[in-house]
Amino acid sequence: MKNKLGIVGGGQLGRMLTFEAKKLGFYVAVLDPTPKSPAGQVADEQIVAGFKDEKAIKKLAKQSDFLTFEIELAGADILEEISEQGVMVNPSARSLNIIKDKLVQKQFLRKHHIPSADFAEVSYKGDLLEIAEDYGFPLVLKARFDAYDGRGNVLIKTKKDIDYGLQKLIGRKLYVEKFVPFKKELAVMVARNTKGQIEVYPVVETVHENNICHTVFAPARVNSYTAKKAEKLAKDVMTHLKGAGVFGIEMFLTRDNRVLINEIAPRVHNSGHYSLEACVTNQFEQHIRAVTGLPLGNTDLIVPAAVMINVLGQRTGAVEVYGMEKALAIPGVSVHIYGKKDTKIERKMGHITAIGKSIDMAWKKARSARRYISI
Ligand SMILES: Nc1ncnc2c1ncn2[C@@H]1O[C@H](COP(=O)(O)OP(=O)(O)O)[C@@H](O)[C@H]1O
Ligand SMILES: [Mg+2]
């Protein structure tokens, strides 16, 4: 059996992918600029190089049967070149090309009649003024490329914010969206393997603070009609997108109960971490199965409820973890620490998942555990 897996990106997602790939018997090499990266610590091998270092990516590809990534930075052109040389690269250059430019992503959704917020391209200040007249305020000005944790977005509440917004995102290609007054943010993880099999995870509820995902409630506290709608939308996205891998589909539930797609992430996702403890097949194992052509696993919940809380850095300096004893003494609590050397304010350092008989019970446990942990 072909069993050499290369992963571009050695952060926490790469680390959790590596754990699962090792479980399935793969030889894993990761590429990351930080020596002893979170994934590098658990992989068979790490190539220390930047994500855009073509020579290093080619080296990794040459020694791999399958190549995947945990970050969206890798140049899609080089991926095309590599796949022509017989390495299975997933997500594919085709799906990455659709996803990595948020404007193209929105056009793709529109083309396939998948609902999302109204949007328009912005090249000049004049465009924005014109769109504002048409759409009204508030608007969300967004960078088309390389945006994460809200860092490429600016909320435009009135005409006065336009100059500030354009200044903040200066030098970047932009588009603008209508602000969606949402009731909840939802997310659905969905997998498609190289043979076209699609499996959808249950819809979850995500709560963001400062644009960073903080808490995930699984399953989402929505009625079954909304849940079915969200899960169907995620499946529709994958049917049209085609590429293999696990994808995170972020959604809005509007005040009038419409479900709109916010964005598609071409990788395992923070909103799917709960699946490690709560689903038959977790998202990381599922991704490995998907990109290596193995059958996909069952995505059902194996517990009534789970709540995941991110452990974000609260200071700057070397990592020291406290509170594990107290946190792990709570029944149903799991703590994941990512092995990063330094902590920084708001940096993703780990996460906690609590399972329980109900969302409320799981949430209580997760919150108590979170209070004990400091890093
Ligand atoms: N059109 C919108 N209307 C309302 N809120 C939005 C809109 N777009 C983004 N947001 C808020 O900002 C967060 C981050 O935006 P997103 O486009 O997902 O950026 P990122 O790529 O940084 O995750 C979303 O999770 C949501 O809370
Ligand atoms: Mg997002």
Side-chain angles (χ1 to χ4, degrees):
M1 176 178 134
K2 289 184 170 182
N3 82 330
K4 293 215 154 142
L5 176 71
I7 305 176
V8 180
Q12 66 268 17
L13 302 178
R15 177 182 176 95
M16 292 183 271
L17 283 169
T18 303
F19 282 138
E20 297 303 319
K22 293 305 301 171
K23 190 177 85 186
L24 292 172
F26 285 90
Y27 177 94
V28 184
V30 303
L31 182 152
D32 194 277
T34 310
K36 293 219 177 300
S37 63
Q41 294 162 23
V42 294
D44 293 283
E45 186 184 332
Q46 175 175 349
I47 295 173
V48 180
F51 304 127
K52 291 193 175 172
D53 182 338
E54 294 206 357
K55 237 173 101 188
I57 294 177
K58 280 186 188 155
K59 183 176 171 224
L60 178 67
K62 206 164 173 203
Q63 66 176 69
S64 306
D65 300 314
F66 309 98
L67 189 72
T68 189
F69 20 93
E70 60 141 35
I71 43 149
E72 281 130 271
L73 297 171
D77 302 340
I78 179 177
L79 299 179
E80 234 156 305
E81 198 184 314
I82 290 167
S83 46
E84 276 160 21
Q85 287 160 13
V87 182
M88 291 253 267
V89 183
N90 277 297
S92 64
R94 181 190 171 272
S95 42
L96 270 198
N97 276 333
I98 294 170
I99 291 173
K100 71 175 184 184
D101 180 344
K102 282 189 175 181
L103 177 65
V104 173
Q105 196 187 118
K106 286 276 143 104
Q107 288 163 341
F108 161 83
L109 294 172
R110 185 182 272 169
K111 183 173 142 201
H112 295 289
H113 309 288
I114 298 171
S116 70
D118 287 340
F119 67 92
E121 187 173 356
V122 173
S123 304
Y124 304 98
K125 183 177 169 185
D127 295 346
L128 204 47
L129 287 165
E130 215 172 283
I131 295 158
E133 253 173 49
D134 191 9
Y135 287 178
F137 294 102
L139 295 167
V140 187
L141 186 62
K142 295 192 177 185
R144 286 167 55 180
F145 296 93
D146 297 337
Y148 64 99
D149 289 344
R151 282 182 223 182
N153 294 355
V154 183
L155 180 66
I156 311 277
K157 282 190 192 147
T158 68
K159 212 168 163 179
K160 282 194 214 128
D161 299 334
I162 288 182
D163 283 332
Y164 166 78
L166 290 171
Q167 189 57 38
K168 197 156 173 224
L169 298 175
I170 199 161
R172 303 177 76 172
K173 289 192 169 172
L174 305 174
Y175 80 104
V176 70
E177 275 176 25
K178 243 187 199 174
F179 179 84
V180 178
F182 56 82
K183 231 176 6 188
K184 278 175 193 233
E185 286 191 77
L186 306 175
V188 179
M189 302 305 305
V190 55
R192 186 177 183 279
N193 73 3
T194 51
K195 310 208 163 97
Q197 183 190 357
I198 296 178
E199 291 292 337
V200 182
Y201 282 84
V203 59
V204 301
E205 203 175 318
T206 58
V207 178
H208 290 74
E209 276 169 39
N210 299 328
N211 286 306
I212 301 178
C213 172
H214 264 246
T215 311
V216 173
F217 299 93
R221 292 162 294 182
V222 295
N223 64 37
S224 62
Y225 176 72
T226 298
K228 283 212 181 80
K229 203 157 54 176
E231 287 158 16
K232 161 129 194 345
L233 278 183
K235 193 165 182 182
D236 288 349
V237 168
M238 284 318 290
T239 305
H240 294 297
L241 194 63
K242 297 206 169 69
V246 163
F247 292 70
I249 321 274
E250 300 177 9
M251 304 177 186
F252 298 124
L253 176 61
T254 66
R255 293 205 187 119
D256 53 356
N257 292 321
R258 284 175 307 139
V259 181
L260 306 179
I261 306 271
N262 170 31
E263 66 165 338
I264 308 167
R267 50 178 169 75
V268 284
H269 196 252
N270 205 164
S271 65
H273 291 359
Y274 78 94
S275 63
L276 279 166
E277 286 81 16
C279 295
V280 179
T281 312
N282 70 64
Q283 64 163 349
F284 303 101
E285 176 179 341
Q286 193 78 299
H287 184 77
I288 305 295
R289 291 183 183 218
V291 301
T292 60
L294 292 168
L296 296 180
N298 183 296
T299 53
D300 289 347
L301 283 168
I302 49 172
V303 293
V307 174
M308 190 277 335
I309 302 184
N310 273 337
V311 176
L312 303 178
Q314 289 155 306
R315 59 182 178 87
T316 304
V319 164
E320 276 183 65
V321 187
Y322 296 102
M324 287 294 263
E325 274 195 17
K326 284 188 171 162
L328 292 177
I330 305 171
V333 163
S334 302
V335 181
H336 300 251
I337 302 291
Y338 300 150
K340 297 180 184 177
K341 226 173 108 235
D342 296 306
T343 183
K344 275 187 225 152
I345 307 276
E346 299 270 86
R347 186 177 195 196
K348 288 176 179 167
M349 303 304 294
H351 74 266
I352 290 165
T353 301
I355 54 171
K357 289 204 175 103
S358 67
I359 286 277
D360 281 348
M361 280 166 78
W363 193 24
K364 241 193 206 151
K365 291 183 193 182
R367 261 188 331 206
S368 309
R370 178 64 193 92
R371 274 191 221 111
Y372 288 133
I373 299 285
S374 105
I375 187 162

